[in-house]
Amino acid sequence: MMAEICLTRSTRAVVGFRIEPERRHLLCFLPKIAPLARANIVSGARRVLVGPSSVGSAGRGLNLSEGDASSSSKLFSLLGFPRVEEEEKYARELDVAVRVVQMACSLCQRVQRGLVAREKGKMMSKEDNSPVTVADWGVQALVSWLLSDYFGSEDISIVAEEDVSTLSREDGTVLLQSVTSSVNECLFEAPKYGLKAPLKPLEAQEILDAIRSCNSTGGSKGRFWVLDPVDGTLGFVREDQYAVALALIEDGEVVLGALGCPNYPRRKEWLNYHQRYYRLMTTLSPPASGSWHKGCVMYARKGTGEAWMQPLIHDFGKFDGHNSARMIRVSSITDPASATFCEPVEKANSSHSFTAGLAHSVGLKKQPLRVYSMVKYAAIARGDAEIFMKFPRAGYKEKVWDHAAGSVIIQEAGGVVTDAGGQALDFSKGMYLEGLDRGIIACSGPLLHQKILKAVDASWGSSNL
């Protein structure tokens, strides 16, 4: 559909539009608009005449005056657009979140490459004094500083996983220096991502302050960000799948999410292979120069019915989110025999035996796709898998940062995310998903979701969970 603005005599304002496939966006609206005369629908185009009401036909003018507080709402109604405050709510926050997650992924990639080189191909396991945690602390400091700089520190509240106790110790000096260096190296490139770099490199104390300021405990009131700096530490350690997850929660509801997946492959079949094998294959048969073969950020804003994906720009120069992004949708598969289900890699995180029994009872034929981190959510949102099931052992509490970003992305991509009782995940209780019924189930659609819920109810008594 084409939108056209026709300017009449004594026009006092201009309205700009961007028409995109399947959606219409109003880019800008100058609120002090001169009176609208009339609107005509001509040959499928929407034509709006802007100017004094006297130019309009009798009875067809909207009789809007300058300064009329309702002018924008009336114009939006006339054009069939949602109101600007509804259409663009959280748009700025999402745009910043995507850029910040892009930078965080860049930091992770640098740290991982450095550790691989240092250890001659062997990564250290995560311990409090391990260099692997440079990525955890580095991402938390980076995200905290960038959000505070953009929105103002007084307006930023962040729930995050890491604290500064280890970095603050006397024997943590070398580690703190590594974190500080990694953050400053990344911040130096902030303008490439459309963000502002600090005037001078951050001092170690400023890094500690940035990490320490992520001290919100969440809750049911107000606005706060939720960050998992490196989700899937074992995946990071083993050079496999991991994610950087950032979400915004307001009054207990997730309103946007950005999920950075540095090793997510372009071809979904590569999800079944370990990243080391994938790297070997791409070394033997490298992708075309400048082409995207792995690494992306997926993101969504609540209520838009849209989820998007863009490649990481670490290897592609300047950030260009609009031209590189593409919409993603969940799979249309409804037959369990054709569906792929994901579950955590580690048995300690979920009962593989119980999910195997569920898969058999529902009629799932494929082997489970065991993937580290919130990449499981990404796989469903992009249509590379249909089901994610997680049933933790008794006593384990799910943390909000492990699910906030992924859940909203799946939902806006057309999928369903609930607990095993069919209830929406409750992000209003603080740092944990309190009141969770048995486990978490995410599906590409309601038909598969209902089948899984029924199977859980039928099998739970014998689960020993």
Side-chain angles (χ1 to χ4, degrees):
M1 173 180 167
M2 178 178 66
E4 179 184 352
I5 299 299
C6 299
L7 304 180
T8 64
R9 180 169 48 87
S10 301
T11 295
R12 299 286 297 278
V14 176
V15 184
F17 295 86
R18 178 175 72 240
I19 305 301
E20 295 181 345
E22 303 181 55
R23 198 156 187 86
R24 294 165 297 177
H25 294 276
L26 187 139
L27 289 180
C28 60
F29 173 66
L30 303 184
K32 289 187 176 182
I33 189 170
L36 283 174
R38 68 184 189 273
N40 293 331
I41 305 300
V42 181
S43 301
R46 188 154 291 174
R47 174 175 293 173
V48 179
L49 304 185
V50 183
S53 58
S54 60
V55 304
S57 302
R60 299 189 64 180
L62 294 184
N63 194 29
L64 302 182
S65 61
E66 285 191 55
D68 186 347
S70 65
S71 295
S72 61
S73 296
K74 290 182 180 179
L75 177 62
F76 274 64
S77 176
L78 172 70
L79 297 175
F81 285 89
R83 294 175 60 182
V84 68
E85 58 267 30
E86 296 173 355
E87 175 67 18
E88 299 304 325
K89 190 173 185 182
Y90 306 117
R92 181 176 66 136
E93 289 85 350
L94 180 60
D95 179 69
V96 173
V98 172
R99 296 169 190 267
V100 167
V101 170
Q102 282 268 6
M103 289 187 64
C105 289
S106 174
L107 186 149
C108 288
Q109 289 173 316
R110 285 191 176 98
V111 171
Q112 192 173 59
R113 280 196 294 267
L115 290 173
V116 171
R118 188 182 312 167
E119 298 299 318
K120 295 182 179 179
K122 295 181 180 180
M123 299 284 286
M124 297 176 67
S125 61
K126 180 177 180 180
E127 300 170 358
D128 284 341
N129 61 351
S130 168
V132 169
T133 53
V134 169
D136 281 294
W137 283 309
V139 168
Q140 187 159 317
L142 177 76
V143 172
S144 175
W145 190 90
L146 287 169
L147 291 180
S148 296
D149 179 71
Y150 192 94
F151 295 108
S153 57
E154 67 279 359
D155 296 323
I156 289 297
S157 179
I158 303 175
V159 178
E161 189 172 15
E162 307 300 331
D163 60 38
V164 298
S165 56
T166 299
L167 291 177
S168 300
R169 298 196 312 240
E170 286 188 16
D171 60 354
T173 302
V174 174
L175 193 55
L176 177 57
Q177 289 174 347
S178 296
V179 173
T180 303
S181 176
S182 296
V183 173
N184 280 322
E185 183 181 0
C186 197
L187 283 174
F188 178 77
E189 294 189 340
K192 183 173 76 173
Y193 297 84
L195 297 171
K196 188 173 69 174
L199 297 177
K200 61 179 181 178
L202 301 184
E203 301 290 342
Q205 186 58 52
E206 293 176 288
I207 295 295
L208 290 174
D209 291 343
I211 297 172
R212 189 182 291 115
S213 68
C214 301
N215 57 5
S216 173
T217 56
S220 60
K221 299 296 182 183
R223 173 185 290 198
F224 55 91
W225 295 86
V226 175
L227 170 68
D228 194 338
V230 179
D231 182 41
T233 302
L234 283 176
F236 181 87
V237 167
R238 296 170 182 175
E239 306 170 66
D240 210 299
Q241 298 297 333
Y242 66 97
V244 176
L246 181 63
L248 181 61
I249 295 177
E250 184 154 21
D251 295 335
E253 291 193 3
V254 183
V255 296
L256 66 84
L259 189 60
C261 308
N263 287 333
Y264 201 104
R266 179 180 62 84
R267 296 169 55 187
K268 70 176 184 179
E269 54 266 28
W270 282 106
L271 277 172
N272 292 295
Y273 295 96
H274 192 282
Q275 271 303 114
R276 290 177 184 172
Y277 180 69
Y278 176 78
R279 189 169 59 249
L280 173 63
M281 295 302 294
T282 53
T283 300
L284 295 175
S285 180
S289 177
S291 65
W292 173 61
H293 63 100
K294 73 166 186 173
C296 63
V297 177
M298 300 185 192
Y299 53 96
R301 187 158 48 102
K302 183 179 175 65
T304 62
E306 298 175 353
W308 297 83
M309 178 182 74
Q310 62 182 220
L312 294 185
I313 68 166
H314 187 61
D315 298 322
F316 292 94
K318 194 173 181 180
F319 181 86
D320 185 11
H322 294 300
N323 291 328
S324 63
R326 71 175 181 86
M327 190 181 295
I328 55 175
R329 297 296 295 174
V330 295
S331 165
S332 60
I333 291 174
T334 58
D335 181 4
S338 301
T340 298
F341 81 94
C342 305
E343 63 181 352
V345 175
E346 299 299 314
K347 293 181 180 180
N349 291 338
S350 186
S351 173
H352 286 179
S353 60
F354 183 61
T355 55
L358 285 178
H360 178 74
S361 65
V362 172
L364 299 175
K365 303 297 184 183
K366 295 184 178 181
Q367 289 296 311
L369 177 62
R370 290 175 179 159
V371 184
Y372 295 104
S373 80
M374 223 179 297
V375 166
K376 294 179 283 290
Y377 280 104
I380 294 177
R382 203 180 79 161
D384 296 338
E386 286 73 40
I387 300 167
F388 163 45
M389 298 183 284
K390 183 179 182 183
F391 299 96
R393 304 290 179 182
Y396 179 82
K397 284 188 173 183
E398 296 286 351
K399 303 172 185 68
V400 293
W401 53 70
D402 286 327
H403 301 281
S407 63
V408 70
I409 293 171
I410 284 183
Q411 288 165 345
E412 296 307 310
V416 184
V417 183
T418 70
D419 66 16
Q423 298 300 308
L425 304 186
D426 187 352
F427 292 93
S428 70
K429 305 298 184 183
M431 299 173 68
Y432 298 96
L433 293 177
E434 302 286 358
L436 193 68
D437 186 347
R438 293 168 289 184
I440 294 175
I441 298 171
C443 291
S444 56
L447 293 178
L448 285 173
H449 186 255
Q450 285 299 318
K451 290 178 181 179
I452 298 295
L453 292 182
K454 290 179 181 178
V456 171
D457 286 340
S459 307
W460 189 256
S462 59
S463 67
N464 295 320
L465 292 174

